[in-house]
Amino acid sequence: MRKPVALRLSAALGTLALAAATGMVLSMPTASAAGAGATGFATQNGGTTGGAGGTTVRVTTGTQIHQALCGRASSSTPIVIQVEGTVTVGNTAKVSGGSCNTTAGVIELKGVSNVTLVGVGGGAVFDQIGIHLRQASNIIVQNVTVQNVKKSGSPTSNGGDAIGMESDVHNVWVDHATLTASGGESAGYDALFDMKADTRYVTLSYSVLRNSGRGGLVGSGDSDLGNGPVTFHHNRYENIDSRTPLLRGATAHIYNNYYVGLNESGINPRAGGKARVDNNYFKNSKDVLGTFYTDLPGYWQVSGNVFDNVTWTQPGEENNPAGPNPTSNTTVSIPYSYSLDAASCVPSIVTATAGADTGLKVSDGDCVATTPTATATANPTPTATPTATSTPAGVNLSLAAAASADGSSKASGTSYGNVRDGDTGTYWSPSGSTGSLSIKWGSATAISKVTLREAPGAIGNIGSWRVLNGDTGAVLTSGSGAGAISFASTSLKKVTFEITGSSATPKVAEFETYA
């Protein structure tokens, strides 16, 4: 028996007429609340930029959130949805449209991509209503409070999860959120942050999870093993019974978190799950790391953690605590760069930075809270601003004999090879309004510039885009509009131009690459 927890919470929207009728504000404010970019595993697999480069919409109700999502030109048209006020089940109706289909009583991001949902102004509170992601990608949720979401009682929402992700969800960054309940399962609540059914490349950072029976899981059962990897850093878990998180077969990087009052168990890798646990601070807690409630073992790599008044139970058939002297029993490699704060300062730095309405402050990697320079603005300045498409100095490496081209799809009558034939009269188009195009070589080639030339009659059709290292999926730069694009020199075998938004069918005549 679990003990109850002590008591404790469009890029074109269609038309301006729609905005006026629903009370939404379609505008370009000076800046959104979004700060520095994604971190952790959300930076991999192509990166996570949310709605950067898209229209900004300001809303005050859940129905307006759904209208913003469904009023876009397509389900992938970038959008930044700024939320101010209290969202409830009562002001969240079902909305359907050409670009999405939602459900009443839950904030649903289903079958969509390239969305930022961010609290602004006096703050955004999702009161007794959860946020549900399903078949969604490139999503940012930032600076919001989600409280007291129930699976039983009244009202119910999202299966009792504050934030839940399932069924082919990838590249999600949840940052500076406050996720709270007022009890455990017996009081009608489920979890605060759940990932299952093929949820991948997620980061939870600078957030507070408090007063719940369950922090969250990665994998809904011992056969749901296709999730992760996930990063958890600079979060505060407080008064939680268990699952901080539970990892079923998944890999997690868990660093610089502050755990206080874990009542029954904490980080729980099982069924082959792996956790890299670096420089965390555990206080006044029990069994903070190990495999619990199963005989299917999990694994951990530990370094630099502080265990302050932590108690450990004896091993048993379904109980394998890592303590009282935790040592590593696996290794977990991390593909991205990160800075570790010393564990001794984690309580102070996390207290100063984590949660909604804290000014999006982050650690500078040396235990000092700083406010990052905003990168996601209503009129974002691209990392690389396209310039006039005059020919750059140097050799167009796309024309080399060893080069070739491919992509995500091609419209009838177009060809990948048309973008490297030196002829602007031929072109490639994706089969839809967005898609990706790559130049590749047989051996590593250093490039620092690309030029995208649109076909005659299609100038200006390309909207938002990302340039990716096709070998690793890392985002080299992002912006909007075709032209000449520069970035740090990178040695790679494949470079990808991903179109994430367009005003009409994109037509790329030439994809030039330069050292």
Side-chain angles (χ1 to χ4, degrees), residues 75 221 415 452 490:
S75 62
S415 169
L452 277 297
T490 305

Side-chain angles (χ1 to χ4, degrees), residues 94-168:
K94 173 184 174 67
V95 176
S96 299
S99 59
C100 79
N101 184 21
T102 65
T103 300
V106 58
I107 300 302
E108 188 158 58
L109 282 67
K110 178 181 179 182
V112 301
S113 60
N114 308 324
V115 177
T116 294
L117 185 68
V118 57
V120 297
V125 176
F126 294 77
D127 184 29
Q128 301 182 75
I129 184 168
I131 299 174
H132 183 214
L133 279 64
R134 186 182 183 94
Q135 296 169 331
S137 63
N138 194 25
I139 307 295
I140 294 174
V141 178
Q142 190 172 51
N143 200 40
V144 301
T145 294
V146 187
Q147 63 188 26
N148 294 328
V149 182
K150 285 191 171 185
K151 67 176 182 178
S152 62
S154 180
T156 60
S157 179
N158 200 29
D161 295 338
I163 296 179
M165 293 165 265
E166 61 180 306
S167 300
D168 191 23

Side-chain angles (χ1 to χ4, degrees), residues 16-26 57-61 64 67:
L16 289 171
L18 171 63
T22 59
M24 288 182 291
V25 178
L26 215 87
V57 178
R58 198 176 184 109
V59 304
T60 58
T61 70
Q64 291 173 358
Q67 288 168 333

Side-chain angles (χ1 to χ4, degrees), residues 90-247:
N91 66 27
T92 303
K94 173 184 174 67
V95 176
S96 299
S99 59
C100 79
N101 184 21
T102 65
T103 300
V106 58
I107 300 302
E108 188 158 58
L109 282 67
K110 178 181 179 182
V112 301
S113 60
N114 308 324
V115 177
T116 294
L117 185 68
V118 57
V120 297
V125 176
F126 294 77
D127 184 29
Q128 301 182 75
I129 184 168
I131 299 174
H132 183 214
L133 279 64
R134 186 182 183 94
Q135 296 169 331
S137 63
N138 194 25
I139 307 295
I140 294 174
V141 178
Q142 190 172 51
N143 200 40
V144 301
T145 294
V146 187
Q147 63 188 26
N148 294 328
V149 182
K150 285 191 171 185
K151 67 176 182 178
S152 62
S154 180
T156 60
S157 179
N158 200 29
D161 295 338
I163 296 179
M165 293 165 265
E166 61 180 306
S167 300
D168 191 23
V169 174
H170 64 89
N171 290 90
V172 178
W173 179 36
V174 178
D175 177 65
H176 284 90
T178 297
L179 310 178
T180 72
S182 294
E185 189 174 18
S186 63
Y189 305 93
D190 191 3
L192 299 176
F193 196 70
D194 269 8
M195 293 159 276
K196 55 190 176 182
D198 197 24
T199 296
R200 297 165 287 119
Y201 297 101
V202 176
T203 295
L204 176 66
S205 59
Y206 294 101
S207 294
V208 173
L209 296 87
R210 135 181 332 131
N211 299 341
S212 177
R214 298 168 173 173
L217 55 74
V218 188
S220 60
D222 290 337
S223 62
D224 182 18
L225 306 179
N227 302 284
V230 186
T231 299
F232 301 85
H233 74 90
H234 292 92
N235 302 299
R236 179 182 177 111
Y237 288 81
E238 182 176 4
N239 193 25
I240 305 287
D241 277 355
S242 62
R243 301 187 179 185
T244 66
L246 168 62
L247 303 169

Side-chain angles (χ1 to χ4, degrees), residues 440-467:
K440 56 186 180 179
W441 300 268
S443 59
T445 300
I447 63 171
S448 62
K449 304 179 187 69
V450 300
T451 296
L452 277 297
R453 299 182 185 275
E454 294 177 283
I459 305 300
N461 288 3
I462 293 176
S464 57
W465 48 258
R466 302 189 299 174
V467 178

Side-chain angles (χ1 to χ4, degrees), residues 402-436:
S404 60
D406 64 17
S408 59
S409 65
K410 56 184 177 181
S412 176
T414 72
S415 169
Y416 301 126
N418 288 343
V419 303
R420 52 173 302 275
D421 61 1
D423 181 359
T424 57
T426 63
Y427 61 87
W428 161 86
S429 288
S431 58
S433 60
T434 60
S436 60

